[in-house]
Amino acid sequence: MNVERLQVQLRDFAEERDWGRFHTPKNLAMALSVEASELLEIFQWLTPEESQRVMAGPQAEDVKDEVADILIYLLRLTDVLGVDLDSVVAAKVARNASRFPPVDDG
Amino acid sequence: MNVERLQVQLRDFAEERDWGRFHTPKNLAMALSVEASELLEIFQWLTPEESQRVMAGPQAEDVKDEVADILIYLLRLTDVLGVDLDSVVAAKVARNASRFPPVDDG
Amino acid sequence: MNVERLQVQLRDFAEERDWGRFHTPKNLAMALSVEASELLEIFQWLTPEESQRVMAGPQAEDVKDEVADILIYLLRLTDVLGVDLDSVVAAKVARNASRFPPVDDG
Amino acid sequence: MNVERLQVQLRDFAEERDWGRFHTPKNLAMALSVEASELLEIFQWLTPEESQRVMAGPQAEDVKDEVADILIYLLRLTDVLGVDLDSVVAAKVARNASRFPPVDDG
């Protein structure tokens, strides 16, 4: 995934539609949270086991749609904020590695 | 960003900690939504204008942290579900382009 | 509002529809969060000022609908958990009063 | 529960702390959604069965706390919007009764 190219594409897309005034960080964080809940809604009444078979069922396309929306708003938000996604994820993975030591199977 | 490499890294990380039984799609969708709300909480009482200056303030690191957590759970979830992030985002961007025609500045 | 009477009514309603197996505390907490996000979605792109006029606009009925759903799931969840809403709210209000002293207008 | 009395109490509480400018409907809907996610976080990694025993465990107080916060923001929001909680819930319960006919055990 070329994050920067995607962000430029989404930025142009927003500008061509005069969406700039809507795309404050506050509103984009709301939109991201709303999309994450729409994804959650799909799993709401499923058992853990049913949730594992969701991509074989009638809501597979809805899952793809919501997952895409989440990434799109995450890319817009980090672009607007000037946050480098690659480096924050690398830093967080490194931090998690020291916070959660692996289980010793010894 | 090398999505596949990151997903393998996060999958190994989860396996080394015996987290597999927690990482059902249902639980990962919940975790994603919870992290999106933790990001939202940062912006909760800010005006739209204040939200635009958040990276110059004391919560800049919190923003980076939450943004990273959101991407990490999104990568885990799509890995567990076998959803290809690149292709679903490309499909969604194409669909949006036909749904929302650009504003004519004529 | 007669909380207990409403809870009995909602409990009977769920039982008559065999919804008991869906209404675990985990699922009800998810449903509550999903409904809260559907309410949030209404306000998503509004300015603070526009949000103040929402009941005079076309989404007034949607607001009422979501607000009702939130309370219904909150009543179901607290019924299932055996939590007394009246007493937890009274305790929280008392705690907030000592945490946040009033502004002195001198 | 005396909804009106509680709403007056919470309104006075907000006024005495100069919170009026923060308590736009948009911000209160965000706060409500954030609190609902904090409740959800408690159930995040629990199995459905574990979620049923949550009030016997170490997070019982956290559940009470979040449940109270959700109701407090719901009361504030409906007060600010002028929405009558009692009547919207009664209307919704009636609507649900016709949408979801009971299961016939015959």
Side-chain angles (χ1 to χ4, degrees):
Chain A
M1 178 176 299
N2 189 324
V3 167
E4 263 177 71
R5 198 181 50 74
L6 260 171
Q7 285 180 321
V8 170
Q9 193 180 354
L10 295 169
R11 191 192 311 154
D12 290 347
F13 193 92
E15 278 170 15
E16 287 159 15
R17 280 149 191 85
D18 269 346
W19 287 351
R21 75 206 138 108
F22 297 115
H23 283 195
T24 62
K26 179 164 174 152
N27 282 358
L28 290 166
M30 286 178 78
L32 180 51
S33 155
V34 166
E35 296 299 337
S37 275
E38 291 183 359
L39 178 67
L40 187 58
E41 192 181 6
I42 298 172
F43 295 99
Q44 191 168 224
W45 305 116
L46 304 185
T47 63
E49 296 70 31
E50 288 166 344
S51 86
Q52 266 151 346
R53 296 189 300 267
V54 75
M55 297 313 291
Q59 294 201 276
E61 288 307 310
D62 296 334
V63 169
K64 289 181 189 175
D65 212 55
E66 299 305 343
V67 153
D69 281 336
I70 292 168
L71 187 59
I72 285 171
Y73 281 121
L74 187 63
L75 290 169
R76 271 304 285 150
L77 177 64
T78 49
D79 184 36
V80 165
L81 292 176
V83 168
D84 181 64
L85 258 185
D86 271 293
S87 73
V88 297
V89 166
K92 185 71 191 229
V93 168
R95 210 149 61 246
N96 281 347
S98 66
R99 275 175 68 199
F100 305 106
V103 171
D104 186 354
D105 285 339
Chain B
M1 177 176 298
N2 189 325
V3 166
E4 263 177 69
R5 198 182 49 73
L6 260 171
Q7 284 180 321
V8 170
Q9 194 180 354
L10 295 169
R11 192 191 311 154
D12 290 346
F13 193 92
E15 277 170 14
E16 285 159 17
R17 280 150 190 85
D18 269 345
W19 287 350
R21 76 205 136 110
F22 297 116
H23 284 194
T24 62
K26 180 165 175 152
N27 282 358
L28 289 167
M30 286 178 78
L32 180 52
S33 154
V34 166
E35 297 299 338
S37 275
E38 291 183 0
L39 178 67
L40 188 58
E41 192 180 6
I42 298 173
F43 294 99
Q44 191 168 223
W45 304 117
L46 304 186
T47 63
E49 296 69 32
E50 287 167 346
S51 85
Q52 267 152 344
R53 298 188 299 267
V54 75
M55 297 313 292
Q59 294 202 276
E61 288 308 309
D62 296 334
V63 169
K64 289 181 190 175
D65 212 53
E66 299 306 343
V67 154
D69 281 336
I70 292 168
L71 186 59
I72 286 170
Y73 280 122
L74 186 63
L75 291 169
R76 271 304 284 149
L77 178 64
T78 48
D79 185 34
V80 165
L81 293 176
V83 169
D84 182 63
L85 257 185
D86 272 293
S87 74
V88 296
V89 166
K92 185 71 191 231
V93 168
R95 211 148 60 244
N96 282 345
S98 65
R99 273 176 68 202
F100 305 106
V103 172
D104 186 354
D105 285 340
Chain C
M1 178 178 299
N2 190 323
V3 167
E4 263 177 71
R5 197 182 50 74
L6 260 170
Q7 284 179 321
V8 170
Q9 194 180 354
L10 295 169
R11 191 192 312 154
D12 291 346
F13 193 92
E15 278 170 14
E16 287 159 16
R17 280 148 191 85
D18 269 345
W19 288 349
R21 76 205 137 110
F22 297 116
H23 284 195
T24 62
K26 178 164 175 152
N27 282 358
L28 290 167
M30 285 178 79
L32 180 51
S33 155
V34 165
E35 296 299 338
S37 274
E38 291 183 359
L39 178 67
L40 186 59
E41 191 181 6
I42 298 172
F43 295 99
Q44 191 167 224
W45 304 117
L46 303 186
T47 63
E49 296 70 31
E50 288 166 345
S51 86
Q52 266 151 346
R53 297 189 299 266
V54 75
M55 297 313 291
Q59 293 201 278
E61 288 308 309
D62 296 333
V63 169
K64 289 181 190 174
D65 211 55
E66 299 305 343
V67 154
D69 282 334
I70 292 168
L71 186 60
I72 285 171
Y73 280 122
L74 187 64
L75 292 169
R76 271 304 285 149
L77 178 64
T78 49
D79 185 35
V80 165
L81 293 176
V83 168
D84 182 63
L85 257 185
D86 271 293
S87 74
V88 296
V89 166
K92 184 71 191 228
V93 168
R95 210 148 62 245
N96 282 346
S98 66
R99 275 174 68 199
F100 306 106
V103 172
D104 187 354
D105 285 339
Chain D
M1 176 177 299
N2 189 325
V3 167
E4 263 177 69
R5 198 183 49 74
L6 260 171
Q7 285 180 320
V8 170
Q9 193 179 355
L10 295 169
R11 191 193 311 155
D12 290 347
F13 193 92
E15 278 171 13
E16 286 158 17
R17 280 148 190 86
D18 270 346
W19 287 350
R21 75 206 136 111
F22 297 116
H23 283 194
T24 63
K26 180 164 174 152
N27 282 358
L28 289 167
M30 285 178 78
L32 179 52
S33 154
V34 165
E35 296 300 336
S37 274
E38 290 182 0
L39 178 67
L40 187 58
E41 191 181 6
I42 298 172
F43 295 99
Q44 192 169 223
W45 304 117
L46 303 186
T47 62
E49 296 70 32
E50 288 166 345
S51 85
Q52 266 151 347
R53 298 188 299 267
V54 75
M55 297 313 292
Q59 293 202 277
E61 288 307 309
D62 295 333
V63 169
K64 289 181 190 174
D65 212 54
E66 300 305 344
V67 154
D69 282 335
I70 291 168
L71 187 59
I72 286 171
Y73 281 122
L74 187 63
L75 291 169
R76 270 305 284 150
L77 177 65
T78 48
D79 185 35
V80 165
L81 292 176
V83 168
D84 181 63
L85 256 184
D86 271 293
S87 74
V88 296
V89 166
K92 185 72 191 229
V93 168
R95 211 149 59 244
N96 282 346
S98 65
R99 274 175 68 200
F100 305 106
V103 172
D104 185 355
D105 285 338

